Amino acid sequence: MKVEFLDQTLRDGQQSLWGMRMQARHALPACDALDRTGFRVIDLTGSHHFEVLVRHCREDPWAMMDALVAAMPHTVLRSGMRANAAISFRTTPDALMDLWMRQLNRHGARSFWIYDVLFDIERTQRLARVAKEFGSEIAGAIMFTLSPVHTDAYYAEKARALAALPEVDTLLLYDTAGVLEKERLATLLPAIVAESRGKPIEFHANNLMGQSAKAYCDALALGVSILHTASRPMANGPSVPSTECIAANLAHLGYSHDLDLSCLPPVAEHFETVGNACGFLVNQHAEYDLFAVTHQIPGGMVGTLKSQLKQHGMEERLEEVLAEVASVRRELGWPGMATPFSQLVGIQAVLNIVTGERWSIIPEEVITYAAGHYGDPVAPIDADVLDRIMADPKTKEVLANPPEQPTLEELRNRHGTDDDDELFLRALVPQADIDRMRAAGPLVTSLPLASSAEADQVVRLMKTVSSRQFRFASETLSVDLSR
C-alpha cells in the first residue's frame, strides 16, 4: 500500500508553535525543497493567519500567499476555512465567505479543507461548489472530540453526509487534541470508511499527548491513506507528527511512499535556524498526560490561557482553569474543542475562575452559541446555565439581531472598495491595522539569520528588552522593537 503525505509545516506547524507569526521571509528559502519533496498537498494558510499577518506582522497576506505559491509551482497548495466564518469567532456573511473562497483560488490555492464543528453540511457544500468553479479539491472535515455524545454512530452519520456531496473528494479525520488511541480507532475508522463511498481518508492528529505517531501507524491498517505531517522542527508538541518519523515508521511497517527523503534535511535545518534566531518554538515534544483527555484544549490555546491568567496575576491557577474547561464544556452541551468553541469554552472558564463566581460574566459569543447562531448544540445546554445565559442583559440584543446576510454589492458599498482582496481585509480587520500594514512597505522576502553579528545582537535585544517600544542605533545597526 502506498501512503501519501500532506505537509503541515507552513500551516499547522507554524500555527501551533509560532502563533501564526510565520511570514514570507521565514518560509521562502525552504519552499524549493518542500516543492521537490513529493507531498500530495502542502497546506499553506487560513483566515486567522491572514489576520495575524496584518495586525501583528504588518505583512500583506495576499502578497505573502502570491510569493509562496510562485515558489512552489509543482505542488498543490491548500487553504482551510470554517464553513460559516472567517477570522471572527462570530459568523461571517455567506457572500463574504464565497468571496474568500474565490480569492484564495484566484491566488493559487487548489485544495481546501472545510470544517464546521457542528457540521453545517449545506454551508460546506455551498463553499465546495464555489471551489469547484476553479477545479479545486475539497476535503470534508470530521472534527473529532471525546464526549458521551460523540459516538462512532454520530461520526458515521456525518461521514455519510459529507461523502454524499459530489463536491467532496476526501474525508479528513481531524483530532485537534491528539486523544485518539488504537482502541477507539479500531471502531471509529471502520464506521467512517463504511460511509465514505470509497473516498480517500486523511488523518490529522495534533501530538499533544505524544501518541499521534502511533495513532498514524494504527490508522493505516484501518483505511487511512493520507497522513498530515510537518518538518521535524515544526512538528510534535501541539503540532502534528514529523514527516521524518512517519516516513521511517512506514518503512518498518512495509508501506511505500513517493517522498524524496533527501529534501527533508535542508527544510529541517532551515526552520530550526529561523526558529532559534527569531525566538520561536522548534523541536518540541509532549509527555503522555491523561489530564489532556479531560479538558481537550488544543495546544495553541494553552498559551492563550496562560496569557489571560497572567493579566490577572493568576498564572499558578492554570490547572484549575483547565479543570473548569471540562465543566464548562459539559454544561454547554459538549461542543467540539476546535475554533470557535474551544476559545468560547476556554474564555468562559477563565472568567469563572478569575471572578470567583461561575457564570457571573458571560461573553457575547457564548450567548450567540446558546442562541443557536452557530448551529444547534450537539447536546442540550445545562438548564441552570441556560437560564443564566438567557437572563444576561446582552441576550435580548443578541436574540433580536441574528447574523446578517448582506449581498456582495452591499459589502462593497459598505467598505468602499471594488477590490475583492481589499474588501476581505476591510470587512474583517480594523482599518487602522490595514493602514499600518500598508505603511510598513512592500513584502520583505529575505531574512538575515543568526549567522551575522548584527542578527545575534538583535536576538539578544529581543530576549532582554521588556519595554513595549525600544529603539537602538549604532554606526552599523538600527533596530526598532515593539510589542
Side-chain angles (χ1 to χ4, degrees):
M1 171 181 163
K2 182 175 289 186
V3 177
E4 295 182 289
F5 283 76
L6 190 149
D7 181 70
Q8 289 288 349
T9 302
L10 305 182
R11 206 279 299 173
D12 196 24
Q14 66 99 4
Q15 178 175 335
S16 296
L17 301 183
W18 293 11
M20 293 185 279
R21 260 61 172 181
M22 182 178 286
Q23 298 169 251
R25 70 192 80 173
H26 300 139
L28 281 170
C31 284
D32 178 63
L34 282 170
D35 193 35
R36 291 185 286 107
T37 302
F39 292 108
R40 184 182 194 273
V41 172
I42 293 176
D43 204 350
L44 189 59
T45 193
S47 63
H48 283 284
H49 186 204
F50 268 45
E51 178 191 26
V52 170
L53 286 172
V54 173
R55 302 189 71 172
H56 302 289
C57 303
R58 308 290 185 251
E59 178 163 290
D60 183 343
W62 294 116
M64 174 276 302
M65 184 173 178
D66 289 343
L68 297 185
V69 168
M72 295 182 285
H74 303 106
T75 309
V76 175
L77 302 180
R78 172 174 284 190
S79 186
M81 60 177 62
R82 283 167 55 200
N84 63 357
I87 297 179
S88 171
F89 291 136
R90 301 180 183 181
T91 58
T92 301
D94 292 347
L96 196 59
M97 292 301 299
D98 293 351
L99 173 78
W100 166 233
M101 176 63 85
R102 287 194 174 93
Q103 294 310 105
L104 287 169
N105 275 277
R106 286 166 180 155
H107 283 269
R110 284 295 180 270
S111 178
F112 296 87
W113 67 286
I114 304 174
Y115 81 97
D116 180 71
V117 182
L118 297 178
F119 293 94
D120 190 325
I121 302 300
E122 289 185 6
R123 279 196 164 104
T124 297
Q125 183 172 33
R126 194 196 73 252
L127 286 170
R129 284 173 174 167
V130 174
K132 287 301 179 183
E133 296 173 8
F134 301 84
S136 292
E137 173 191 67
I138 298 296
I142 300 170
M143 307 301 289
F144 180 80
T145 190
L146 290 172
S147 87
V149 296
H150 289 90
T151 63
D152 290 350
Y154 173 88
Y155 285 116
E157 178 190 347
K158 305 309 178 185
R160 182 187 311 119
L162 288 169
L165 302 180
E167 298 85 1
V168 167
D169 302 290
T170 66
L171 298 182
L172 166 58
L173 176 59
Y174 202 119
D175 180 10
T176 59
V179 294
L180 275 168
E181 297 184 88
K182 185 174 183 177
E183 183 178 15
R184 182 65 187 274
L185 285 168
T187 60
L188 174 67
L189 274 172
I192 290 174
V193 170
E195 302 294 346
S196 68
R197 300 193 176 201
K199 296 180 178 181
I201 308 295
E202 305 181 26
F203 190 18
H204 181 119
N206 294 86
N207 203 21
L208 285 156
M209 296 182 67
Q211 64 181 11
S212 293
K214 175 66 164 57
Y216 278 15
C217 295
D218 294 334
L220 294 173
L222 298 168
V224 167
S225 60
I226 304 167
L227 298 175
H228 291 210
T229 60
S231 178
R232 179 163 277 142
M234 306 299 293
N236 299 314
S239 181
V240 291
S242 75
T243 307
E244 291 87 343
C245 168
I246 300 303
N249 287 335
L250 292 188
H252 290 297
L253 292 171
Y255 294 100
S256 63
H257 59 76
D258 287 332
L259 298 187
D260 182 349
L261 299 181
S262 69
C263 294
L264 301 182
V267 173
E269 180 181 354
H270 168 75
F271 284 109
E272 183 171 20
T273 302
V274 172
N276 287 330
C278 296
F280 295 138
L281 294 177
V282 291
N283 298 319
Q284 297 298 289
H285 69 280
E287 294 179 329
Y288 188 77
D289 181 6
L290 279 173
F291 189 36
V293 177
T294 299
H295 60 74
Q296 294 184 67
I297 283 287
M301 262 203 69
V302 174
T304 301
L305 295 179
K306 288 179 180 178
S307 176
Q308 291 170 342
L309 288 173
K310 187 175 182 179
Q311 293 174 12
H312 297 277
M314 303 171 70
E315 301 97 310
E316 75 284 354
R317 300 186 71 177
L318 177 63
E319 292 288 309
E320 190 177 348
V321 167
L322 292 176
E324 178 67 8
V325 162
S327 297
V328 170
R329 183 179 178 229
R330 172 181 53 78
E331 291 166 332
L332 287 178
W334 301 105
M337 294 302 279
T339 301
F341 304 127
S342 55
Q343 288 86 352
L344 303 191
V345 170
I347 292 169
Q348 185 66 63
V350 169
L351 290 172
N352 288 356
I353 295 299
V354 300
T355 62
E357 181 183 352
R358 303 184 74 244
W359 299 99
S360 61
I361 298 178
I362 303 174
E364 185 175 321
E365 289 77 11
V366 173
I367 298 172
T368 299
Y369 165 77
H373 292 174
Y374 293 111
D376 294 329
V378 181
I381 297 173
D382 177 88
D384 291 337
V385 168
L386 185 59
D387 286 344
R388 299 199 68 163
I389 294 173
M390 291 298 111
D392 189 281
K394 299 186 293 295
T395 298
K396 184 176 181 180
E397 182 177 355
V398 170
L399 292 174
N401 294 279
E404 62 172 350
Q405 289 292 350
T407 66
L408 185 55
E409 285 306 310
E410 287 171 339
L411 288 168
R412 286 171 175 157
N413 292 333
R414 181 182 303 177
H415 297 286
T417 181
D418 290 326
D419 182 325
D420 287 342
D421 285 352
E422 185 72 10
L423 173 58
F424 179 74
L425 298 182
R426 290 186 187 182
L428 296 168
V429 180
Q431 186 62 45
D433 289 316
I434 298 174
D435 292 341
R436 283 190 285 267
M437 177 197 75
R438 302 288 184 214
L443 187 75
V444 178
T445 57
S446 62
L447 177 71
L449 299 178
S451 57
S452 68
E454 292 82 4
D456 286 340
Q457 193 167 358
V458 171
V459 171
R460 287 196 297 272
L461 288 170
M462 290 170 63
K463 292 179 178 178
T464 57
V465 172
S466 59
S467 59
R468 294 189 62 83
Q469 299 289 334
F470 178 81
R471 173 168 291 182
F472 171 82
S474 68
E475 291 183 1
T476 60
L477 184 66
S478 177
V479 178
D480 286 291
L481 298 179
S482 65
R483 298 182 185 278

